[in-house]
Amino acid sequence: RAAEWQLDQPAWSGRLRITAKGSTAFIKLEDKTSGELFAQAPVEQFPGIAVEGVTDSSRYFVIRIEDGNGRRAFIGVGFVDRGDAFDFNVALQDHFKWVRQQSELARQAQDLEQGPKLDLGFKEGQTIKLNIANMKKREGGTGSTRPRPAVPGGLSLLPPPPGGKSGSGERPAPLSTPAQLPGTPITDSLLSWPQPTAAPAADVWGDFTKASG
């Protein structure tokens, strides 16, 4: 109980700092001016015997300090501000939460290494069958194919696209005789195109090869 302590006359006052090395947290009591270490309490688990709260206050704790030579002592510490006591608790809880997470990750990694490994390779003579929709299997190269209509000259015409049928439903026959274009006479069954007109006598633009610059 903190009420049994001499709270009005503490034996020492300073600052408290929590550090960590590996999975162990260290509660360090330091001089608030010089930072000299007064005492430290290694904490290997929390809650545990290294840090215990009192029954009559949330601002006071009992910690187990060690000097590194095997000597230990239990002392009482308290915080003037209740918020500092809350931060003290949260700092220890966060550290050991991280320790548990690291231990769980290491255990899972070890289980994966020791567990049986899957062999996804094909065994000798093993085959698989794939069923692909909308694909017809051709047996022996004698599958039925749709013939394309032939036209004179060895060319083949592709079938019309869906919905592209002509109004009469019939294909136009190839031209056997030359068609007559409007305004163009036909001579000897050959199309006679208009002859190019003669160039004008004088070049209105002049000779470009004599242009300066």
Side-chain angles (χ1 to χ4, degrees), residues 23 32 65 67 72 77-78 123 127 132 134 146 153 176-177 193 200 207 213:
S23 61
K32 59 184 176 181
I65 60 175
D67 64 353
R72 300 174 177 176
V77 297
K123 305 299 187 294
T127 60
I132 302 177
N134 299 327
R146 189 174 182 180
S176 58
T177 57
W193 303 97
D207 191 355

Side-chain angles (χ1 to χ4, degrees), residues 61-81:
F61 304 86
V62 176
I63 65 174
R64 185 181 64 184
I65 60 175
E66 298 180 9
D67 64 353
N69 296 323
R71 294 186 301 177
R72 300 174 177 176
F74 290 91
I75 65 173
V77 297
F79 297 90
V80 177
D81 188 88

Side-chain angles (χ1 to χ4, degrees), residues 16 21 28-29 45 49 69 77-78 84 88 96 101 105 107 109-110 115 117 131 157 165 178 181-182 190 195 206:
L16 184 147
K21 183 177 181 181
K28 294 186 176 183
L29 304 177
Q45 66 179 16
I49 193 174
N69 296 323
V77 297
D84 293 336
F88 173 77
F96 286 99
Q101 290 176 347
L105 292 175
R107 186 186 64 80
Q110 186 177 6
K117 297 182 178 180
N131 293 326
L157 297 178
K165 296 182 179 180
L181 301 179
L190 296 177
Q195 297 297 324

Side-chain angles (χ1 to χ4, degrees), residues 15 24 72 86 101 107 115-116 135 188 196 198 210:
R15 72 182 183 188
T24 304
R72 300 174 177 176
F86 176 80
Q101 290 176 347
R107 186 186 64 80
M135 177 177 289
D188 296 333
K210 297 179 180 181

Side-chain angles (χ1 to χ4, degrees), residues 15-30 37 39-44 46 50-51 61 63 77 79 84-96:
R15 72 182 183 188
L16 184 147
R17 191 162 59 96
I18 298 179
T19 62
K21 183 177 181 181
S23 61
T24 304
F26 294 89
I27 302 174
K28 294 186 176 183
L29 304 177
E30 302 173 342
L37 181 65
Q40 72 174 3
V43 184
E44 296 181 354
F46 181 78
V51 181
F61 304 86
I63 65 174
V77 297
F79 297 90
D84 293 336
F86 176 80
D87 293 342
F88 173 77
N89 259 316
V90 170
L92 290 174
Q93 291 173 3
D94 287 348
H95 169 73
F96 286 99

